[in-house]
Amino acid sequence: MLEFLLNGVPQKVNHCDPNSTLLDHLRTQLNQNGTKEGCASGDCGACTVAVGEISNEVDSETGDQADNSNEDNIHYKSVNACITLLANLHGKHVITVEGLANGEQLHPSQQAMIDCHGSQCGFCTPGFVMSMFVLERNHDSPPNRHEISEALGGNLCRCTGYRPIIDATVQMFDPQLSPSKDRFSEQQSQWLTQLRTMNKEDHVRLVHNDKKYFAPTHLEDLAELMLRHPNARLVAGGTDLALEFTQFLREIDTLIYTGRVADLKRVETTDNELSIGAAATYSEFSPALLAFYPDARELIERIGSRQIRNQGTLGGNIGNASPIGDMPPLLIAMNAQLVLRCGDATRTIAVEDYFVGYKKTLLHASEFIEKIIIPKPAKNSVFRAYKISKRYEDDISASCGAFSLTLKDNRVSGVRIAFGGMAEIPKRALHCEQALLQQPLSSDNIANAARAMSNDYQPISDFRASSEYRLKVSQNMLTRLHLELTHPENEHATRVINHA
Amino acid sequence: MRNLPELMPPQKTQSDEIKGAVHTNIAHESAVRHVTGKALYTDDRIAPADSLHAYVGLASCSRGKVKNMDLSAVRAAPGVVDVVTLADVPGHTDIGPVFPGDPIFVDQEVQFYGQPLFAVAAHSHDAARKAVRLAQIDYQELDADITIEQGLESQSFVRPSHTQARGDIDAALLTSNRNLEGSLQIGGQEQMYLEGQISLAIPDEEGGITLFTSNQNPTEVQKLVAEVLNVSINKVTVDMRRMGGAFGGKETNANQWAVIAALLAQRTGRSVKIRLSRADDITATGKRHHFRNDYKVGFDDQGVINGLAMELSAGCGFSPDLSDAIVDRAMFHSDNAYFLPAAKITGHRVKTNTVSNTAFRGFGGPQGMVAIEGIVDDIARAVGRDPLDVRKDNLYCAQGNRDTTHYGQTIERHILPGLIDQLEQSSNYRQRREAITAFNKENSVLKKGIALTPLKFGISFTVQHLNQAGALIHVYTDGSIQLNHGGTEMGQGLFTKVAQVVATVLQVDIDTILPTSTRTDKVPNTSPTAASSGTDLNGMAAKNAAETIKQRLVDFATEHFQVDATDVRFHNNRIYTSEQHSISFSELVQAAYSHRISLSATGYYRTPKIHYDRASASGRPFFYFANGAAVAEVLVDCLTGEYKVSRVDILQDVGDSINPALDIGQIEGAFIQGMGWLTTEELVWGEDGRLQTNTPASYKIPAIGDTPEIFNVALLENSPNVEATIFHSKAVGEPPLMLGISVWSALRDAIASIANYDLSPVLDTPATPERVLRAITQLQQSKNTDSKADSKAPSKHIDNSMDIDHA
C-alpha cells in the first residue's frame, strides 16, 4: 500500500499499476484537473507540482546534512507529475495548484501572476505557479534574472513571451501579497508527524496483476532484491524511464525504487575525494560537486530543467548510458570512478571504462551503481565544460565537452578531455590529448590538438546538428578554452552567455 | 418567473467610472481561474459515465498504396469497442476546408508519414493508444517528394500558381544601376499550443452530436461533422469555452479529430473523447509553411528599389487546406512597408508528401516579409549605407506617387515614417550603432549586431465573406449579463475585450458580465477566430447587440419616467433621467422586464469598404493596415555560432487600445514567437518523410531565458484608427510576430561585421547556432578570397542539405 499527502490530505492507494504516473492518478482517478498534460515527457512543465520531503537543513556549500532531527522541516521541490511514478511518492507531500490558495486568499505566486497579466491561454499557468511557489518557499528575497531562468527554464509558455511571468516572479515577494496565514508553515508539524509515520515502513511494495514494485530503504535489501529479480529495472528519479510508459507505451514488470535507500542518497566530501550516492539528485549533489569544480556550474544548471534536476540522479544519468548524457563527459574528464555492487560484492571501475557500446555498459545482471567517486582536482589544474545546443535552457547537447588540464611551467603536464554527443558513447579525445601533452599552450598547439580531434570522433548528423558542425564546434571549444586560459582577465569577451 | 429576484444593495465604490471600461488594463476574464487551476479545458470536463476514448492509427510511410490493412489484432485488443476506417463513414469522407483533398482517413494511398489510417474507440486512453499499434499494414511504397525542390522538380502543386504584378519588371531590372539576386530558405514552424488537439463528442437525439472541442472555428467543425455523419447542421452543436493556445493550428486542423470522435459517438451511442499525444499531434497536424523565395531586385546607388521580381515557393504538404490564401498573403506582404515601382510576385503552392501545412499567426505574411527585409539589408550593404536609412528611403509615402501597393491598394495613412523616427530616438539606434561598430573592431570572438525592421500588415480576411460576425447578449432580471459571440478565446483576451465593449456601452461593471462558451446554438454561421480580426469583428457585433438593448431600455425609461430620450443617460451602473433622479441598472432592468421589454438581443457586423479581384490581382483586400517597428540587438559567438538577444525595443500602433495590458501581452508574446520561428525552432524531416522533431525535447520553442533582458514595448500614442473600428482600436494578434524579423536581421548585421559590412551573409532560417556558424565561416572565407569590388552576396545558393537529415 502507498501512503502520501496530497494538499495536506492523507491518501492511501491499495491498488495501482506500478507503471502509472502521478499526473494520470491526479487527472483520471481523482479528477484533480488543475494539473495539465502538455507533453507527457517532462519537457514543458505544464504538469509541475511541488513534492515535499522530510529534510534536515542542508548546508548549501557542502551538501552535508546536519544530523539533528529537531531541525526537520518539509522541503518542497518542483517536479514534473507526468514523469513521476505514483509509487515513488510514498511518504511524501504532493502540492498541486488546487492546494495553494487558502480559501479565497490566493498564494502570492497566484496573485502576482494576475496582477502582472502573466496568463494568457492559461494552460501553462498552473505549472508556472507551482514552480514559482517552490521558488517563493525556498528564497527569502526576490531572485535575480539568472535565478528566475534557472528555476523556471523548464516551464514553457507559448503565449506571453515570459516578460510578465518574470515580473510576477519578482513581485510575488512583495510583502503586501503575503497571506495573513501561511498554512504551509502552520500545518508543517502536523504534516511532518504524518509523513514520519508513513516513512516508518521499510518495505514499500506493490503488486498489481503481474507487475511488482519494491521500494527498499536499506542497501542490503536493495542488493538482495536485485539478486532475486535479475530482470528488474531500477528506477531512481524516473525522468528517463517514465518515457517508456508515456511515449513508448511499454510495460515493465518489476521496478525497484532507489530513492528511499539512504546509503544511495549520501553525499560525502573528504580531503581527497567526493563520494556521491547513485540516487542523489542533481539538486542534492551539485553543491558539493561545485565546491570541487566551480567551473562546472553553467553546465550543471543547463542539464534538463529544475524539475528534472530535482528528480534526476547521477546514477541514473550514468546508468542509462545515453551517448548524449551531459554528466559522463564531465566525470570522465574528472577521472571519476564507479563503485558497482552485486549482492555483498563491490568492484570499482573508471567511468571511462564503463561504457562499451551504444547503450551498453559493463554492468552485470543484478549489479547496480552504488556510488560515484570524484577525485579532488589536482593542484594547478583547470577545468572547463562547454555545452552546445540550439536552445540555452533545457536542451540536449549537440556536443558537450569537458576539459581537465594540469599546467606545470606553462606546459600541459596532464590532460583529460571527453565529449558527449560525438560518438556512440561518452568518450575521451585521446588523440587530442596526446597533441597537448607536454606542450606549451600556444595557438599552434591548440590548432594541432583541434585537428587531432578529427581522429577521435566521427560524429553523426541528426536533427540536432550535422556531423561537420559537431566536429567544428568541438574543435572550437579548444580555442575558447585557450582564450579563457591565456586571457583570464578577458574571459567575458569570449562567451555570449557571460557577456553583460 | 413569478417573483423577481431580490436585488443586492449597490456596492459603494469610490470610482466615478465603471470597472473594466474600454481603454483600461483589466485582467484577463479567466485570470483567477487560470492561476487556481479552475479554468476548464476540454480534457478537464467531467465526461459522461461510460465515455470511450478514441485514438488514431498513423501511416508509417510517406507515400504508398495500402495493399492490405489487417486490423484484427486491433479489434481484439483489450478494451477496444469499435474500429473505423474511411469505408465506415456515412457521409462526406473529405473534410478539406476550401478545396477537397483532406480525407478523414487514408483513401487507398498514403499521402504523408503520420497520416491517420483508422481510429479505435476503447475503454481508456491508454487502451486505445496501445491498440492502434497492433495494426498490420502492407504498403506498396511510391516515390515521394519531401522537399520544396523535389516538388518543384516534379512540377507538383496543390493549387495553381498565381502572380501579382505591376509595371515592366524586366525593364526596371535592366535599367537599374544595381542588381542583386538570391534565394532564401525559410523554415516552417510548429504551433506548439500547450493544450494539444482534443475533442469530446456526446451523442444526442435524432443522430445529433454535442461537441466540446478545442477549435478556432466552431461553425466549420459543426458543418463538417454534419456532413460526415450525414445529418443536417442543426443537429450538431459545438461548445468551445477556451483553448490552451491555438495560433492558427486549430483553425482547420482541429476538425479531423472532432469528426472522428463524432463518428465513433454516433456509431457506439456513447460519448467519445479523443486526445492526441504530443508526438502524434506534432506529426499529424499542419504547421507554418516553409518557403523558398528566389528574387531579383534592381535599385539605384542610394538603394532605392526600382523593381522586385520574387518567386515564392511554399511547401504546402499533401493537400490545399488554406494554402491558396496563405501564399496569397505572403505575396501581399512581399513589399512589407516598401514601395515597389515595378513588381512581379509569383506564388507557387508546392505539393509535397508531408503533413498539409496550415494557418499559423501571420498566415504567410511573415514569409513574404522576411524576404524583403533581407533584401533591403543586402541592398544597404551593397551601396554602403546604414540599413535603416535605406529602409526609410524605400517606405511608402504620400509624395511622388509612392503610395500604392503592387496589388493596387492605396496606403492612406503613413504612420511608419513618424513611428520609425520615434523608435530610432527612444532606442538610441544611432549611438548604439556607433558603439557596436567600435565593439566589433575590438573583439574578434564576439560580434554585436543591431537592426530596426518595420511592419505593415493588412487587416481583414482576404476571403471577403468571412468578414462578418454575430453576438448574443442576455440581460437577466438581477442585472447580470451573459455575453456570447462567434469569436473563440485562445488566450488572446478576446472575451475580456468584448466584455469591456459591452460594459462600456451599458455602463455596468465588467464583473456583471459573464462571457460564455462560444456555441453554435447561440450564435450561428460564424467565421474562424483568425486573421487578427477577433475583436474588430466580434467587438462590433457585441456593441451592436448591447446598443439594441440599451435603446430598448432608453425607450422604456423615456415612457416610464416621462422624460425625453436625450435626458436618459447611462453612467457608472446607473441610469439618470435627470441630474437628480437615477436608478440602478438592475432596477431599470427589473422594471423593463415587468413591462414586457425584451432583454435579449443579437448583434451583427460586416466589414465595410473591402473588395478584391483576384483575376486582376487588384483591389482593396484590407480594411486598414497595422504598423509597428522593432529594434533588436544581438551578440554572436563566432567560435560556436551561439548568440543571445540582448535588447529589444518595440513601438506598435494598436490605435486606441481597448486594453493596453492585453495588447502589450500580445505584442511581447508574438515577438518572442516570431523570434523562435527564426532562431531555435527547427523542423527536420528525414529522407523517409518522417518528422524527426516531433516533441518539445527535439523542437525548441523559446524558454524563459531567451526573453531579452532589456525588453521595452510601447504603444504608439494618439493614433486612433481613422477607420470606424471598435472604439478606434487596431488589430494586434498577428502583426507583432513579424517584428521578430529584427532579430534575424540583427544576426546578419553582426555576421556582416566580419567582412566590414561589405558582404551580406547567407543565413537561411531558422538561424540556429549551426547556421550562424556556417554563415560566419562562409563570410570569413569570402573575405579572404573575394576582392571588395563585387558587392554581391558571397554565394547565391547555399547547400541546403542540412534541412534533411541523412543520419
Side-chain angles (χ1 to χ4, degrees):
Chain A
M1 185 177 70
L2 295 178
E3 287 188 272
F4 62 99
L5 291 175
L6 174 61
N7 296 321
V9 180
Q11 306 282 311
K12 291 187 183 186
V13 181
N14 287 312
H15 299 286
C16 88
D17 184 337
N19 294 355
S20 66
T21 65
L22 170 60
L23 182 65
D24 278 344
H25 186 72
L26 290 171
R27 293 187 61 87
T28 65
Q29 304 299 311
L30 304 179
N31 281 321
Q32 296 244 5
N33 289 338
T35 308
K36 308 301 181 196
E37 178 181 316
C39 66
S41 56
D43 295 305
C44 80
C47 66
T48 303
V49 299
V51 170
E53 291 180 71
I54 301 175
S55 156
N56 303 120
E57 287 296 318
V58 176
D59 186 318
S60 61
E61 285 302 304
T62 62
D64 289 344
Q65 291 182 341
D67 192 18
N68 182 351
S69 56
N70 293 330
E71 297 292 315
D72 275 359
N73 59 33
I74 304 179
H75 179 71
Y76 293 96
K77 58 191 185 178
S78 55
V79 308
N80 293 308
C82 70
I83 51 170
T84 299
L85 295 191
L86 177 67
N88 289 4
L89 293 167
H90 181 88
K92 300 175 187 174
H93 186 191
V94 178
I95 297 177
T96 68
V97 70
E98 288 95 341
L100 288 192
N102 205 349
E104 293 291 297
Q105 168 93 61
L106 298 180
H107 187 268
S109 59
Q110 297 173 311
Q111 190 60 51
M113 281 288 269
I114 295 171
D115 295 344
C116 295
H117 303 275
S119 72
Q120 287 186 20
C121 85
F123 201 81
C124 71
T125 312
F128 268 101
V129 165
M130 293 313 298
S131 285
M132 290 164 65
F133 161 76
V134 170
L135 190 61
E136 193 262 354
R137 282 215 76 72
N138 297 333
H139 266 250
D140 294 329
S141 56
N144 63 31
R145 193 60 186 266
H146 173 79
E147 290 165 330
I148 292 172
S149 293
E150 206 245 324
L152 303 181
N155 290 86
L156 295 179
C157 169
R158 193 54 153 164
C159 295
T160 64
Y162 302 102
R163 194 277 310 160
I165 297 172
I166 294 166
D167 286 357
T169 307
V170 173
Q171 191 165 312
M172 72 176 168
F173 286 87
D174 183 341
Q176 288 190 350
L177 291 187
S178 294
S180 48
K181 288 178 159 190
D182 176 3
R183 67 193 194 96
F184 301 100
S185 301
E186 284 175 4
Q187 290 183 255
Q188 174 160 288
S189 64
Q190 176 200 335
W191 292 337
L192 270 172
T193 306
Q194 291 170 308
L195 293 180
R196 280 200 199 99
T197 306
M198 295 174 190
N199 279 299
K200 283 190 181 133
E201 175 58 62
D202 273 347
H203 300 278
V204 173
R205 62 196 303 258
L206 274 179
V207 179
H208 178 84
N209 298 334
D210 295 335
K211 292 185 202 155
K212 301 184 200 71
Y213 170 93
F214 305 94
T217 47
H218 299 293
L219 184 59
E220 302 73 40
D221 294 339
L222 172 65
E224 167 67 22
L225 281 165
M226 287 295 284
L227 286 172
R228 243 190 306 139
H229 303 280
N231 294 321
R233 290 284 296 276
L234 279 181
V235 52
T239 54
D240 199 44
L241 181 118
L243 303 187
E244 301 207 19
F245 308 132
T246 67
Q247 303 297 305
F248 307 107
L249 310 183
R250 292 189 193 119
E251 300 190 26
I252 297 178
D253 292 340
T254 309
L255 286 166
I256 303 176
Y257 178 48
T258 60
R260 301 188 78 222
V261 182
D263 284 337
L264 290 190
K265 304 279 282 182
R266 191 161 290 138
V267 178
E268 289 174 321
T269 306
T270 68
D271 287 345
N272 302 320
E273 61 185 35
L274 166 65
S275 163
I276 298 173
T281 66
Y282 291 94
S283 300
E284 288 162 344
F285 73 72
S286 55
L289 179 64
L290 294 179
F292 267 19
Y293 290 96
D295 288 306
R297 177 177 295 279
E298 177 202 313
L299 194 125
I300 290 191
E301 287 179 350
R302 290 177 63 188
I303 291 176
S305 60
R306 173 68 72 83
Q307 290 93 320
I308 299 294
R309 296 190 292 276
N310 282 336
Q311 298 241 84
T313 62
L314 190 53
N317 196 244
I318 300 165
N320 78 15
S322 163
I324 47 176
D326 280 338
M327 286 308 290
L330 268 71
L331 295 170
I332 292 171
M334 293 168 180
N335 197 17
Q337 310 289 311
L338 296 178
V339 176
L340 308 180
R341 174 177 289 271
C342 185
D344 295 334
T346 62
R347 58 176 177 146
T348 301
I349 61 162
V351 173
E352 71 169 291
D353 297 329
Y354 178 73
F355 307 102
V356 294
Y358 179 71
K359 292 227 166 196
K360 283 208 180 93
T361 72
L362 286 179
L363 210 60
H364 299 142
S366 298
E367 195 177 34
F368 60 93
I369 302 170
E370 182 181 325
K371 58 188 170 187
I372 299 92
I373 311 288
I374 300 172
K376 194 174 185 176
K379 252 191 181 169
N380 300 322
S381 74
V382 290
F383 179 84
R384 289 289 190 282
Y386 305 125
K387 168 172 179 154
I388 303 294
S389 53
K390 282 182 202 168
R391 188 173 73 192
Y392 186 77
E393 287 155 318
D394 195 3
D395 198 356
I396 290 165
S397 300
S399 173
C400 173
F403 304 82
S404 181
L405 276 76
T406 313
L407 300 171
K408 199 173 175 187
D409 303 331
N410 210 23
R411 281 172 189 272
V412 177
S413 60
V415 56
R416 295 179 68 88
I417 298 174
F419 277 85
M422 294 291 286
E424 61 176 8
I425 55 170
K427 193 177 157 203
R428 267 177 88 176
L430 292 170
H431 290 94
C432 176
E433 289 178 8
Q434 205 54 44
L436 289 171
L437 201 58
Q438 303 307 336
Q439 303 296 321
L441 272 185
S442 67
S443 299
D444 284 351
N445 288 333
I446 289 290
N448 281 340
R451 272 193 294 278
M453 206 184 279
S454 57
N455 294 324
D456 290 316
Y457 303 113
Q458 289 79 44
I460 61 161
S461 289
D462 66 6
F463 61 82
R464 292 201 172 88
S466 69
S467 171
E468 298 77 33
Y469 179 69
R470 281 194 161 101
L471 186 60
K472 173 153 191 178
V473 83
S474 302
Q475 290 170 325
N476 285 359
M477 285 183 202
L478 266 182
T479 312
R480 176 191 277 175
L481 175 77
H482 181 228
L483 284 169
E484 288 183 3
L485 296 183
T486 50
H487 302 86
E489 73 291 350
N490 209 9
E491 178 168 335
H492 288 325
T494 66
R495 301 288 311 278
V496 159
I497 196 59
N498 293 325
H499 203 278
Chain B
M1 94 198 77
R2 302 296 167 101
N3 287 325
L4 288 169
E6 206 171 311
L7 293 178
M8 304 290 280
Q11 287 181 346
K12 288 260 183 270
T13 56
Q14 304 295 325
S15 171
D16 189 37
E17 299 294 332
I18 56 162
K19 184 180 172 201
V22 293
H23 313 313
T24 62
N25 288 330
I26 198 85
H28 192 285
E29 43 85 21
S30 290
V32 175
R33 279 166 276 175
H34 289 157
V35 302
T36 53
K38 289 177 181 162
L40 293 181
Y41 301 81
T42 301
D43 197 38
D44 302 336
R45 293 183 174 275
I46 307 295
D50 289 333
S51 282
L52 299 173
H53 298 262
Y55 213 78
V56 283
L58 305 181
S60 57
C61 76
S62 59
R63 187 167 167 239
K65 286 216 181 329
V66 177
K67 287 200 299 191
N68 185 37
M69 182 155 70
D70 178 0
L71 301 179
S72 52
V74 180
R75 289 178 205 281
V80 169
V81 173
D82 196 12
V83 179
V84 287
T85 67
L86 201 66
D88 301 310
V89 176
H92 290 195
T93 56
D94 195 303
I95 54 170
V98 187
F99 308 101
D102 294 299
I104 302 167
F105 300 114
V106 166
D107 186 5
Q108 296 177 41
E109 187 178 306
V110 173
Q111 295 281 350
F112 76 95
Y113 200 116
Q115 187 177 15
L117 288 154
F118 66 94
V120 307
H123 288 300
S124 72
H125 178 69
D126 222 34
R129 278 184 77 188
K130 283 178 175 159
V132 297
R133 298 192 178 198
L134 302 174
Q136 297 287 325
I137 319 283
D138 290 333
Y139 306 99
Q140 180 195 341
E141 296 212 24
L142 303 168
D143 286 345
D145 294 329
I146 306 301
T147 65
I148 292 173
E149 283 71 18
Q150 289 167 345
L152 284 172
E153 179 97 347
S154 307
Q155 286 290 292
S156 182
F157 303 101
V158 293
R159 294 287 303 154
S161 298
H162 179 62
T163 296
Q164 300 165 349
R166 160 165 72 192
D168 185 342
I169 182 64
D170 293 334
L173 293 176
L174 208 63
T175 57
S176 288
N177 285 355
R178 313 285 291 260
N179 281 282
L180 276 179
E181 59 181 273
S183 179
L184 179 67
Q185 297 275 352
I186 303 160
Q189 187 178 23
E190 159 61 30
Q191 289 85 359
M192 195 66 95
Y193 28 67
L194 263 284
E195 178 208 32
Q197 301 281 355
I198 180 158
S199 283
L200 168 65
I202 301 174
D204 208 337
E205 295 179 354
E206 300 247 333
I209 293 283
T210 299
L211 193 67
F212 295 88
T213 175
S214 186
N215 194 312
Q216 289 172 253
N217 198 350
T219 286
E220 188 158 85
V221 71
Q222 176 198 27
K223 171 214 162 212
L224 290 170
V225 166
E227 286 176 348
V228 168
L229 299 187
N230 205 16
V231 299
S232 54
I233 292 179
N234 61 1
K235 289 180 185 156
V236 180
T237 301
V238 176
D239 181 302
M240 215 314 291
R241 175 57 184 87
R242 62 171 64 79
M243 284 170 272
F247 313 111
K250 296 170 183 172
E251 186 173 346
T252 62
N253 272 237
N255 297 337
Q256 186 167 15
W257 326 110
V259 161
I260 289 169
L263 178 63
L264 285 161
Q266 191 193 47
R267 285 166 60 89
T268 61
R270 293 163 71 171
S271 300
V272 175
K273 185 193 280 187
I274 186 167
R275 173 169 67 87
L276 295 189
S277 76
R278 180 58 63 175
D280 290 338
D281 188 315
I282 297 182
T283 298
T285 65
K287 302 159 203 325
R288 186 188 298 289
H289 294 58
H290 49 290
F291 271 61
R292 172 204 164 117
N293 293 351
D294 298 278
Y295 57 87
K296 289 180 184 169
V297 63
F299 49 98
D300 68 16
D301 292 333
Q302 288 299 299
V304 175
I305 296 172
N306 296 322
L308 172 69
M310 182 143 70
E311 294 205 32
L312 300 86
S313 302
C316 297
F318 78 97
S319 77
D321 187 68
L322 303 174
S323 291
D324 235 10
I326 288 166
V327 177
D328 273 1
R329 188 168 274 272
M331 296 160 66
F332 282 130
H333 290 84
S334 294
D335 60 341
N336 190 14
Y338 310 116
F339 177 64
L340 307 175
K344 185 180 179 196
I345 311 294
T346 301
H348 304 296
R349 286 87 174 147
V350 180
K351 178 175 178 174
T352 53
N353 294 105
T354 50
V355 68
S356 189
N357 285 324
T358 189
F360 191 152
R361 204 176 198 171
F363 204 74
Q367 296 98 316
M369 225 177 264
V370 69
I372 185 72
E373 288 304 325
I375 289 168
V376 174
D377 280 329
D378 291 358
I379 290 173
R381 283 185 280 267
V383 299
R385 299 181 69 199
D386 187 308
L388 177 55
D389 295 322
V390 174
R391 285 193 163 88
K392 286 180 171 186
D393 286 354
N394 279 292
L395 288 177
Y396 285 106
C397 61
Q399 297 80 33
N401 284 331
R402 293 172 62 85
D403 63 352
T404 51
T405 64
H406 59 284
Y407 48 87
Q409 177 158 1
T410 302
I411 309 295
E412 295 168 356
R413 292 264 296 147
H414 296 283
I415 290 167
L416 276 174
L419 186 151
I420 290 172
D421 284 346
Q422 197 179 322
L423 182 64
E424 180 185 341
Q425 297 294 326
S426 66
S427 68
N428 282 323
Y429 177 89
R430 300 286 171 183
Q431 295 92 316
R432 287 163 65 200
R433 164 66 72 192
E434 274 182 35
I436 284 168
T437 308
F439 176 93
N440 288 342
K441 283 200 177 110
E442 284 168 19
N443 289 272
S444 57
V445 174
L446 295 187
K447 299 288 183 186
K448 288 183 178 179
I450 190 169
L452 184 155
T453 61
L455 158 76
K456 169 186 124 286
F457 190 75
I459 300 301
S460 291
F461 286 100
T462 55
V463 176
Q464 191 173 351
H465 75 261
L466 294 179
N467 295 289
Q468 59 173 318
L472 175 65
I473 294 177
H474 300 320
V475 180
Y476 295 93
T477 50
D478 59 355
S480 67
I481 295 167
Q482 269 199 4
L483 167 60
N484 202 277
H485 51 77
T488 55
E489 176 62 40
M490 60 194 91
Q492 80 279 47
L494 173 65
F495 279 21
T496 313
K497 285 184 173 181
V498 178
Q500 286 179 272
V501 166
V502 173
T504 304
V505 171
L506 296 177
Q507 281 296 300
V508 294
D509 286 343
I510 199 165
D511 309 340
T512 66
I513 301 169
L514 183 71
T516 57
S517 294
T518 312
R519 285 183 65 105
T520 55
D521 56 355
K522 282 198 170 178
V523 177
N525 310 326
T526 58
S527 294
T529 308
S532 305
S533 68
T535 306
D536 280 11
L537 295 176
N538 296 290
M540 285 300 253
K543 179 164 177 271
N544 178 244
E547 282 170 346
T548 299
I549 291 175
K550 183 178 177 184
Q551 189 59 50
R552 287 183 203 148
L553 291 172
V554 168
D555 293 346
F556 166 70
T558 305
E559 192 181 322
H560 190 66
F561 296 109
Q562 293 294 305
V563 294
D564 286 345
T566 50
D567 292 335
V568 180
R569 192 165 59 90
F570 283 54
H571 179 68
N572 195 16
N573 298 294
R574 298 191 73 76
I575 285 75
Y576 294 80
T577 51
S578 70
E579 284 301 314
Q580 295 78 31
H581 180 253
S582 71
I583 60 171
S584 72
F585 178 77
S586 45
E587 286 167 339
L588 178 67
V589 161
Q590 286 203 346
Y593 169 77
S594 301
H595 289 79
R596 297 188 294 171
I597 303 296
S598 165
L599 295 171
S600 172
T602 60
Y604 181 78
Y605 174 74
R606 59 170 172 254
T607 312
K609 292 189 177 180
I610 48 178
H611 59 89
Y612 183 67
D613 174 29
R614 192 166 186 260
S616 65
S618 68
R620 177 186 178 148
F622 305 117
F623 188 27
Y624 62 92
F625 292 95
N627 294 117
V631 180
E633 181 176 330
V634 300
L635 183 68
V636 176
D637 182 336
C638 292
L639 287 175
T640 60
E642 294 167 292
Y643 50 83
K644 79 172 178 187
V645 182
S646 35
R647 174 172 170 180
V648 170
D649 296 72
I650 291 174
L651 184 57
Q652 180 74 20
D653 178 21
V654 296
D656 280 349
S657 173
I658 288 180
N659 187 325
L662 296 188
D663 282 350
I664 285 174
Q666 287 296 293
I667 295 165
E668 292 170 337
F671 176 86
I672 295 295
Q673 207 170 59
M675 179 184 87
W677 165 52
L678 295 170
T679 55
T680 56
E681 297 184 34
E682 186 174 30
L683 293 163
V684 182
W685 280 268
E687 276 184 332
D688 59 357
R690 191 178 71 85
L691 179 63
Q692 298 179 333
T693 48
N694 64 352
T695 69
S698 50
Y699 182 78
K700 309 309 282 188
I701 70 169
I704 197 164
D706 296 314
T707 299
E709 290 208 23
I710 305 172
F711 196 9
N712 302 317
V713 177
L715 306 178
L716 186 67
E717 290 182 355
N718 303 318
S719 179
N721 197 338
V722 295
E723 301 297 346
T725 52
I726 183 75
F727 291 101
H728 296 281
S729 61
K730 282 191 173 184
V732 70
E734 293 163 289
L737 181 132
M738 285 150 269
L739 297 177
I741 293 169
S742 61
V743 171
W744 176 72
S745 229
L747 285 169
R748 295 183 74 228
D749 185 64
I751 298 166
S753 73
I754 293 168
N756 200 28
Y757 303 101
D758 291 331
L759 303 175
S760 282
V762 175
L763 184 63
D764 290 341
T765 78
T768 56
E770 171 160 358
R771 285 208 180 79
V772 169
L773 186 62
R774 195 188 311 149
I776 289 167
T777 308
Q778 278 185 348
L779 218 57
Q780 285 165 339
Q781 287 165 354
S782 305
K783 186 178 120 187
N784 295 337
T785 56
D786 261 34
S787 68
K788 201 199 140 189
D790 182 8
S791 61
K792 282 189 179 175
S795 76
K796 284 182 202 158
H797 188 77
I798 189 157
D799 171 17
N800 202 48
S801 59
M802 290 308 307
D803 289 343
I804 300 298
D805 176 62
H806 298 290

